[in-house]
Amino acid sequence: SSTAKQNDNDSHSEEERPVPPFLLKTYNMVQDQTTNDIVSWSEKGDAFLVKKKHEFSQTILPKYFRTISFSSFVRQLNFYGFRKRSTNMSTTSHFKHKNFKRDQPQLLNLIKKKTSESSSIKKTVTELQKEVKQLKEQYK
């Protein structure tokens, strides 16, 4: 089983930038075959499954994170663009991201946190607002 490692190189391109610890820990947690009865890869390996939410929160999450809150874990996954699927009949939660796949840790650095995109949009809006204000002043 291949585990993902943090890239320590300081000068990195977009593809080589360090993988956020949350993604590394989540990947390694899912890769751990000793806990497959609680959390595991889907059959295809393109999603991961949390089969026993209570056991997952009480025993697995504390090993990797500072929380035992399942909803906090799901919120973090949402920040990174994971999609949650769970049917009403099933107690299993499915989490999927196009760059989160079994035995492909090299894809992890392609997963970006959503907030960075929205903060750059906010920055652009702020800059445009300043520019409009300056133009209004200029043409009074």
Side-chain angles (χ1 to χ4, degrees):
S1 97
S2 62
T3 56
K5 291 177 183 66
Q6 185 77 41
N7 181 355
D8 292 328
N9 188 357
D10 271 344
S11 59
H12 27 265
S13 70
E14 188 68 17
E15 291 78 41
E16 296 168 348
R17 65 195 173 94
V19 175
F22 174 79
L23 294 174
L24 282 175
K25 290 175 183 180
T26 302
Y27 182 86
N28 290 331
M29 174 181 71
V30 178
Q31 280 287 103
D32 182 355
Q33 294 181 354
T34 64
T35 58
N36 276 357
D37 59 320
I38 301 170
V39 59
S40 70
W41 289 104
S42 64
E43 210 172 299
K44 284 195 220 166
D46 64 346
F48 73 93
L49 317 172
V50 176
K51 301 168 192 170
K52 298 176 183 174
K53 205 185 291 185
H54 181 73
E55 287 91 331
F56 179 78
S57 298
Q58 296 299 310
T59 62
I60 309 290
L61 281 180
K63 283 184 190 173
Y64 294 89
F65 305 102
R66 281 186 234 119
T67 183
I68 60 165
S69 167
F70 186 70
S71 58
S72 293
F73 176 70
V74 172
R75 197 173 317 121
Q76 281 296 311
L77 289 173
N78 289 337
F79 281 138
Y80 286 101
F82 281 77
R83 296 280 165 249
K84 182 184 180 200
R85 284 186 319 133
S86 57
T87 61
N88 294 339
M89 305 303 284
S90 172
T91 56
T92 300
S93 296
H94 300 239
F95 297 96
K96 190 170 187 170
H97 190 289
K98 65 180 181 174
N99 293 312
F100 195 86
K101 297 182 187 293
R102 176 174 49 220
D103 299 324
Q104 296 187 50
Q106 73 281 5
L107 296 177
L108 293 176
N109 61 1
L110 299 175
I111 301 174
K112 293 177 177 59
K113 200 166 188 175
K114 283 181 180 178
T115 53
S116 63
E117 192 177 297
S118 64
S119 68
S120 72
I121 290 170
K122 283 178 190 166
K123 187 178 169 190
T124 304
V125 168
T126 304
E127 288 169 2
L128 286 170
Q129 286 170 332
K130 283 180 185 173
E131 195 175 328
V132 167
K133 190 178 178 184
Q134 288 170 349
L135 286 169
K136 279 181 175 177
E137 292 296 315
Q138 197 175 335
Y139 292 101
K140 266 189 174 176

